[in-house]
Amino acid sequence: MAIEGFDYKGFAESMAEQAKELVPADLKDFEKEYIVKTLGNFTLLAGEALYNDTQLNLNADQAVFITQIIAEWSFHKSIDLIHSGILPEYWDSIMQKIAFTIFEVAKQAFIRRIPQDQMLQAVEHHVVKVYKQSIEELQEKGVIDEEVKNRLFPYLHL
């Protein structure tokens, strides 16, 4: 059964609209569009998956909470990626890994009835871990060198 009162489409649109107002002014237009589009897409996909999940038994507030976590992290990490200097062609794969990680960690936290503060800590831990692994993978593939990798480490935080 779908989650009563959870309008995931409207919520995703609302998050994307809010993101438009918050993107740093110094970014190029295509970078701003990337942030808004990425946040909107991941929020919509997560919301739809939660909405249609018949086993989690989430209420609307819980579904909004998980979806909002994905929106917020998508916003911040896409900005970090843009500032990192990593070429745009690599952004999507890194962001997909981050969004999937958040989704799975948050779902497992609800299944295990982990308190929200601990869930948020777990999400942060895993986001940083996935981001770092993604950067290391780019170095292993020769996309970035050690100097660029070291320059990226300031972007491994919130």
Side-chain angles (χ1 to χ4, degrees):
M1 180 169 138
I3 301 172
E4 188 176 327
F6 180 50
D7 175 14
Y8 68 89
K9 291 177 185 174
F11 187 74
E13 289 172 15
S14 173
M15 291 285 98
E17 283 300 314
Q18 289 178 46
K20 283 181 188 176
E21 304 300 319
L22 299 172
V23 291
D26 64 323
L27 297 180
K28 297 174 183 154
D29 285 344
F30 85 92
E31 294 168 334
K32 292 176 184 178
E33 289 170 17
Y34 178 81
I35 293 166
V36 172
K37 184 179 124 206
T38 299
L39 179 149
N41 287 344
F42 288 150
T43 305
L44 181 66
L45 288 171
E48 182 178 17
L50 293 171
Y51 184 81
N52 292 319
D53 191 315
T54 58
Q55 297 183 354
L56 266 181
N57 294 319
L58 297 177
N59 64 38
D61 289 340
Q62 292 167 325
V64 164
F65 183 73
I66 292 173
T67 310
Q68 186 169 354
I69 293 169
I70 291 169
E72 290 176 9
W73 276 103
S74 296
F75 180 81
H76 292 293
K77 294 319 280 181
S78 60
I79 291 171
D80 286 352
L81 271 177
I82 290 166
H83 285 148
S84 74
I86 293 173
L87 295 173
E89 63 202 69
Y90 300 103
W91 295 349
D92 282 347
S93 66
I94 294 171
M95 290 304 301
Q96 288 168 1
K97 290 175 190 176
I98 289 170
F100 178 77
T101 298
I102 296 165
F103 185 76
E104 289 302 317
V105 169
K107 273 181 38 176
Q108 287 302 313
F110 272 103
I111 290 168
R112 295 181 177 146
R113 301 194 190 308
I114 294 173
Q116 283 187 3
D117 61 332
Q118 290 178 21
M119 178 203 311
L120 293 173
Q121 289 174 354
V123 165
E124 178 181 355
H125 168 80
H126 287 283
V127 166
V128 170
K129 182 178 174 182
V130 166
Y131 191 71
K132 185 176 181 182
Q133 287 172 342
S134 297
I135 290 168
E136 289 170 352
E137 287 172 13
L138 291 178
Q139 183 188 13
E140 289 169 11
K141 292 177 183 176
V143 173
I144 61 173
D145 60 20
E146 186 73 23
E147 181 182 332
V148 173
K149 178 184 156 188
N150 291 335
R151 197 174 65 231
L152 295 175
F153 281 114
Y155 298 103
L156 293 177
H157 64 283
L158 288 175

